[in-house]
Amino acid sequence: MMGGVRMDKVKSLVVVGTQWGDEGKGKVVDYLAKQADLVVRFQGGNNAGHTVVYGANIFKLHHVPSGILNPGTLCLLGNGMVINPLVLIQELDELEKRGIGISNLRISGKAHLIMAYHEDLDEANEKLLGEKKIGTTGRGIGPAYADKALRRGIRAIDLTDFDRFRNRLSEILPLQNRLLEEIFDHPGYDLDQLADRYRSALEKLGPLVTDVSLLLDDNLRSGKKILFEGAQGALLDIDHGTFPYVTSSSTVAAAAATGTGLGPQYIGQALGVIKAYTTRVGEGPFPSEDNTEAGEQLRQRGNEFGTTTGRPRRCGWFDAVIARYAALINGLTGLALTKLDVLSGMEMINLAVAYRCNGKEIKHFPMSIEELKDCSPIYESFPGWDEDLSRVRRFEELPAAARHFISALEEAVGVKVELISIGPDRSQTITCPGSRLVDWIEPEK
Ligand code: IMP
């Protein structure tokens, strides 16, 4: 027993990104969420963009966990998130229009809100940085987290009462307006007009606000299965990522505890979603980036264009230095390897096993961006395969060259691949022999 919850009853899994985001977490979470009672987001906001293909339907989700597509799954937005109420209500309207109920969604009262001025400040900051810009998604993420740290944010609990919301805004807006007007040459906002813009969001979201920590505790006590859905990836983590080219939240598995209000002992397995190659959006060094025909092939075949911004993603080879680092900072217990099908037709496949940095070979991920800029990848190359993988359903049916690549990757990373995705559809998912995800995978019919 720990804190009143029987630990042998705890069934939880956290799914995190291991690269620079866009690893295909949405698809993996959606697949595993079928067996989950709850799906919980714990960081980030609408900078995330998950595309989930469900039959003929394509859903683009930004705040809402992909579990919303499974009727009966409780979906929670944790306190570690930043939420744009105006965007969230659009997302909910869109889901409802397409017949997906939202009565199972709950929002932590402690989550902070992304306000209109945060989006302006994000854009203005980027402009000010010029060539040194971060390449943010422009969704106001950084300014919203900054206001949280500066203790001048508005929280979801303030959505439960219009007067309270307006009051809070009235305390904060004069300062935001001064910033906008004096530094960024922006006209600023009128208090009443701005507060009014949020009226319908308050009506729709207010009733969904709850104490997520308490709700999770209740569910843990009754043996419910909880899936924590990470957004972005290890290298975008505010502490451990490629600072300053990072997002403003903790993206690692441990954040599932602080970002929901649970103790760390309740975070069970940590599954790292990893693409069979690497992509990055925004600025910053990327050692295994490939600017030749091979990189372009990965971009086109993998449809590597941003869900949130439509930007073409930078593409390159699988980097085991990054993957080992992600395993370390997350405590990964397994990997979900995605987009393996995209590698079909490549003559040779490269895998970075180490870096050459200032004339020395290094196997660890460097701490500073300056050092990372000097790193070039040391590759091992593997023969490719021509077979189309999209119809493969069992590990043994994969071409020998693909299986060889996977075992070399596991060896280089030191973590087992438990799940393989070979296409966007739920059915295009392979469970590897010996996978410990049995509790989370629908039994074969
Ligand atoms: P922000 O999160 O909008 O502040 O952007 C900071 C950095 O994180 C930029 O390089 C973004 O491109 C990147 N980023 C944020 N969210 C995602 C995501 O969901 N996928 C990939 N990159 C992201």
Side-chain angles (χ1 to χ4, degrees), residues 15 17 19 21-30 49-51 273-275 313 336 338-339 421:
V15 176
Q19 293 156 321
D22 307 318
E23 298 92 351
K25 292 177 295 294
K27 141 99 196 242
V28 172
V29 169
D30 176 55
H50 288 170
T51 308
V273 183
I274 200 150
K275 204 143 55 175
R313 297 178 185 143
T338 60
K339 291 200 157 181
S421 171

Side-chain angles (χ1 to χ4, degrees), residues 242-316:
T242 45
F243 191 89
Y245 300 104
V246 292
T247 191
S248 302
S249 64
S250 270
T251 63
V252 290
T258 54
T260 58
L262 277 184
Q265 69 271 34
Y266 302 123
I267 313 301
Q269 287 163 276
L271 181 70
V273 183
I274 200 150
K275 204 143 55 175
Y277 50 95
T278 312
T279 60
R280 167 161 215 186
V281 263
E283 310 302 314
F286 174 1
S288 69
E289 183 168 17
D290 188 305
N291 288 319
T292 71
E293 190 51 37
E296 188 52 36
Q297 208 174 323
L298 291 172
R299 179 157 38 249
Q300 295 304 331
R301 294 186 55 117
N303 190 25
E304 295 296 352
F305 299 90
T307 313
T308 301
T309 59
R311 289 184 286 182
R313 297 178 185 143
R314 297 158 66 193
C315 294

Side-chain angles (χ1 to χ4, degrees), residues 5 48 189 265 332 438:
V5 179
Y189 290 94
Q265 69 271 34
L332 295 182
V438 278

Side-chain angles (χ1 to χ4, degrees), residues 341 344 387-393 422-424 427-429:
D341 53 306
S344 291
E387 291 90 331
D388 169 19
L389 305 187
S390 61
R391 287 179 208 284
V392 174
R393 294 296 175 269
I422 33 84
S427 66
Q428 294 171 306
T429 314

Side-chain angles (χ1 to χ4, degrees), residues 10-89:
V10 172
K11 284 204 177 126
S12 72
L13 170 71
V14 53
V15 176
V16 287
T18 53
Q19 293 156 321
W20 277 288
D22 307 318
E23 298 92 351
K25 292 177 295 294
K27 141 99 196 242
V28 172
V29 169
D30 176 55
Y31 182 74
L32 300 170
K34 275 194 117 179
Q35 300 299 306
D37 298 302
L38 291 94
V39 184
V40 189
R41 270 198 64 186
F42 53 90
Q43 47 73 228
N46 58 320
N47 47 349
H50 288 170
T51 308
V52 184
V53 179
Y54 189 29
N57 284 318
I58 297 180
F59 292 92
K60 294 202 171 185
L61 303 172
H62 295 286
H63 294 93
V64 181
S66 350
I68 200 80
L69 305 182
N70 299 325
T73 306
L74 199 53
C75 289
L76 310 182
L77 307 187
N79 58 276
M81 286 188 74
V82 284
I83 295 168
N84 185 324
L86 302 180
V87 176
L88 179 55
I89 56 169

Side-chain angles (χ1 to χ4, degrees), residues 423-436:
D425 197 76
R426 278 181 181 180
S427 66
Q428 294 171 306
T429 314
I430 301 168
T431 308
C432 297
S435 167
R436 285 170 302 162

